[in-house]
């Protein structure tokens, strides 16, 4: 957010069997990585042109933005669809219709280093644009606006953040939700804050009773809820204390590539194609369980689409 795993291991083994490098993002390369030096010297577009490949960062459980569903070798999602629009724009810009795509798995903890050091050319998932991150990477124009809330069982007695007194709360490490709640831990008298390595593990801890609630971006909570055996057993509650904007990440100080990325996303907005994209992922059944998130477009997102910007709010 703003600011699997036995399953992930299986996915990694599967992707390696196909000769892909989707799991190489699990450990960030050193800052002396050759790709980083080359990119700094020539820019992302030149790097892509020389290699004939664009490297896309993806998430494996950020439903419905970027995640693995039925095919372990192919990420899907709303943010991923926008990412592919950028790929089309790069193909046109470089006159490279046969440009290859290589996928690189990223996590909340390593996504920024992998973009900044040149391993990943573009990451479109569920990354919040904020001032701290702007010191390390650049962001595209925003493509979603979220608020942090709580996922909990219907009978948990948790209705808002004030109800966390003396209770255990889980959130995902490396997210703005984690930062916020740790800053207000004493104020809310929370019994314990648990930091899980990803959204899937956070929800698993909630389901197993190790926490009374799971704090994260509201739409990501809706995505995790959709994967439950009984989605109706879980509810999203609470008044959001923070609102944030998601953007695609790219290396800092590369205005030529940023222009291509921004123009591609703005084109989707101005053509109206964004409406069908949004409907597909937020208001229709989606894989893997064909659950409808029933998450209508907010007025804030409509305003962002109408007047795109890359500010943090």
């Amino acid at each position: 957010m703003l600011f699997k795993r036995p399953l992930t291991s299986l996915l990694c083994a599967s992707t390696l069997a196909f000769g892909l490098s989707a799991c190489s993002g699990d450990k960030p390369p050193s800052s002396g990585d050759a790709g980083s030096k080359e990119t700094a010297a020539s820019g992302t577009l030149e790097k892509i042109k020389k290699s004939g490949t664009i490297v896309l960062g993806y998430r494996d459980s950020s439903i419905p933005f970027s995640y693995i569903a039925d095919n372990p070798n192919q990420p899907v999602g709303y943010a991923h669809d926008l990412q592919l629009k950028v790929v089309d724009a790069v193909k046109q810009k470089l006159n490279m219709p046969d440009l290859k795509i290589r996928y690189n798995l990223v996590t909340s903890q390593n996504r920024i280093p992998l973009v900044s050091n040149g391993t990943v050319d573009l990451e479109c998932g569920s990354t919040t644009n904020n001032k701290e991150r702007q010191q390390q990477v650049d962001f595209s124009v925003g493509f979603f606006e979220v608020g942090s809330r709580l996922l909990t069982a219907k009978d948990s007695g948790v209705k808002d953040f004030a109800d966390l007194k003396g209770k255990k709360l889980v959130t995902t490490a490396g997210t703005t939700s984690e930062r916020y709640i740790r800053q207000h831990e004493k104020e809310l008298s929370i019994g314990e804050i648990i930091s899980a390595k990803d959204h899937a593990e956070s929800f698993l801890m909630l389901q197993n009773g190790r926490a009374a609630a799971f704090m994260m971006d509201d739409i990501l909570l809706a995505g995790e809820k959709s994967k439950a055996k009984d989605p109706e057993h879980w509810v999203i509650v609470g008044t959001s204390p923070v609102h944030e904007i998601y953007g695609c990440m790219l290396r800092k100080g590369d205005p030529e590539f940023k222009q291509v990325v921004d123009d591609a996303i703005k084109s989707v907005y101005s053509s109206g194609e964004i409406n069908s994209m949004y409907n597909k992922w937020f208001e229709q059944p989606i894989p893997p369980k064909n659950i409808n998130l029933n998450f209508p477009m907010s007025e804030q997102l409509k305003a962002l689409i109408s007047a795109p910007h890359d500010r943090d709010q």
Side-chain angles (χ1 to χ4, degrees), residues 44-190:
T44 304
L45 289 174
E46 185 63 24
K47 170 182 176 287
I48 292 170
K49 186 175 182 179
K50 287 181 178 180
S51 67
T53 302
I54 184 169
V55 184
L56 303 181
Y58 76 96
R59 303 294 296 271
D60 61 359
S61 62
S62 287
I63 297 174
F65 296 95
S66 177
Y67 67 104
I68 294 297
D70 302 319
N71 183 347
N73 306 304
Q74 176 62 55
V76 297
Y78 170 77
H80 180 65
D81 281 356
L82 284 171
Q83 196 173 38
L84 293 181
K85 291 295 183 180
V86 174
V87 173
D88 289 341
V90 171
K91 288 179 178 180
Q92 184 174 2
K93 174 74 173 180
L94 299 178
N95 192 23
M96 297 179 68
D98 297 324
L99 179 66
K100 296 178 182 178
I101 297 174
R102 181 160 62 86
Y103 291 111
N104 201 119
L105 176 65
V106 302
T107 67
S108 295
Q109 295 91 335
N110 70 20
R111 55 190 167 178
I112 294 176
L114 289 176
V115 170
S116 62
N117 72 15
T119 301
V120 169
D121 296 320
L122 182 69
E123 187 271 349
C124 299
S126 52
T127 301
T128 299
N129 177 356
N130 62 31
K131 287 181 172 59
E132 180 182 354
R133 290 170 176 170
Q134 289 168 9
Q135 303 304 308
Q136 305 172 72
V137 295
D138 281 337
F139 284 89
S140 70
V141 293
F143 61 77
F144 206 80
E145 186 161 344
V146 298
S148 299
R149 299 180 68 199
L150 301 170
L151 181 63
T152 188
K154 281 185 176 179
D155 58 359
S156 70
V158 175
K159 302 298 181 183
D160 213 329
F161 287 83
D163 300 318
L164 295 173
K165 184 176 182 180
K167 294 182 169 64
K168 292 183 179 181
L169 173 73
V170 65
T171 188
T172 304
T175 64
T176 50
S177 282
E178 182 193 34
R179 167 171 293 187
Y180 175 86
I181 203 63
R182 290 200 179 279
Q183 290 174 341
H184 296 82
E185 180 178 2
K186 292 183 179 179
E187 171 190 333
L188 295 170
S189 301
I190 298 173

Side-chain angles (χ1 to χ4, degrees), residues 241-263:
V242 286
H243 292 272
E244 304 166 305
I245 293 175
Y246 289 169
C248 295
M249 282 196 298
L250 55 146
R251 275 176 292 285
K252 192 168 182 62
D254 193 343
E256 186 179 12
F257 184 54
K258 176 171 164 53
Q259 187 71 55
V260 174
V261 174
D262 285 346
D263 287 350

